[in-house]
Amino acid sequence: MLVLLIVSLLDLYTPLSGAVGALYLFCFFYLCRESKKIIIVFAAFILLLTIITFIISYSPSSNYMVLLNKAITIFVIIITTIFTVRHKKLHDRIDTDRNTYVKELEKMLFMVSHRMRKPITSYLELMNIVESEKVLTQEELKLIMKHIKLSALELDSFTKELTKFMSESVKNVEKKNQTQKA
């Protein structure tokens, strides 16, 4: 806001304010991350200041350049406001997409780290038992093979679920992109 105050004072005391009016553009760069409401309030405030400075500084002996420069300033403020609001909308959409993407990755990471790790760990533990020096009975070997098969089935089920999850995520992204293009 301090920058805005300095620019508006320059605008007030500069007879040809086209160049000074362009300084208002720099104020918008600070607002790109603010809400749409703040951007519009800021633009309305700048427009009001521009009109007030014109009314205060205008005299019948002023040349037409003062009027032209104020008109250009107002035009630039309006155009810049439109671009800033669009930039804000785009930035918000990108943030939303990024957050969605991160949540999907976190979900997938959880699935891989917990649901996939469990059958692999079970399988490795069973293999350690088989490889141990201890002599195993036929019944113990059958039980171990049953657990290995269950672990393999659990891993297969998870792999299918993970593939489905990833496929649905890709479809959702494509659907969202098509909606945004329309």
Side-chain angles (χ1 to χ4, degrees):
M1 285 298 176
L2 179 63
V3 174
L4 175 61
L5 182 61
I6 292 168
V7 171
S8 52
L9 287 173
L10 280 171
D11 196 16
L12 178 62
Y13 293 109
T14 306
L16 297 176
S17 62
V20 176
L23 290 175
Y24 284 123
L25 296 175
F26 293 109
C27 297
F28 278 99
F29 291 116
Y30 293 111
L31 291 175
C32 284
R33 302 279 180 178
E34 298 296 331
S35 71
K36 182 180 170 183
K37 182 179 178 181
I38 289 175
I39 293 168
I40 291 171
V41 167
F42 178 76
F45 184 66
I46 289 175
L47 284 172
L48 183 64
L49 282 176
T50 303
I51 292 168
I52 290 171
T53 57
F54 173 71
I55 292 169
I56 292 171
S57 65
Y58 182 76
S59 70
S61 62
S62 300
N63 69 24
Y64 73 96
M65 288 302 290
V66 173
L67 179 61
L68 180 63
N69 281 324
K70 286 299 178 180
I72 290 171
T73 300
I74 290 170
F75 178 74
V76 167
I77 290 169
I78 291 170
I79 295 299
T80 305
T81 302
I82 292 168
F83 282 129
T84 305
V85 168
R86 286 188 178 176
H87 173 5
K88 176 63 179 162
K89 284 180 183 178
L90 177 64
H91 185 267
D92 289 349
R93 190 177 84 216
I94 289 170
D95 275 353
T96 301
D97 290 349
R98 184 181 304 124
N99 290 338
T100 302
Y101 179 73
V102 167
K103 285 178 185 174
E104 293 288 320
L105 284 177
E106 287 172 348
K107 197 174 185 182
M108 188 172 70
L109 181 62
F110 176 83
M111 291 171 73
V112 169
S113 68
H114 291 85
R115 305 243 345 262
M116 184 179 223
R117 183 115 175 88
K118 182 182 173 258
I120 291 173
T121 303
S122 296
Y123 178 77
L124 291 173
E125 289 173 8
L126 292 168
M127 292 308 295
N128 284 337
I129 292 171
V130 170
E131 290 176 343
S132 71
E133 300 286 322
K134 180 183 172 194
V135 176
L136 299 170
T137 65
Q138 191 69 19
E139 284 299 313
E140 290 173 326
L141 284 174
K142 282 184 182 179
L143 187 61
I144 289 172
M145 291 306 291
K146 179 181 173 186
H147 285 295
I148 289 174
K149 184 176 181 180
L150 287 174
S151 292
L153 289 172
E154 189 176 346
L155 190 56
D156 181 55
S157 171
F158 170 73
T159 304
K160 289 176 184 174
E161 186 179 331
L162 182 61
T163 303
K164 181 181 176 185
F165 171 79
M166 291 175 72
S167 175
E168 288 174 359
S169 292
V170 168
K171 286 178 186 176
N172 288 339
V173 168
E174 289 173 353
K175 187 178 185 181
K176 190 173 185 177
N177 286 338
Q178 288 175 353
T179 303
Q180 289 173 352
K181 287 180 183 178

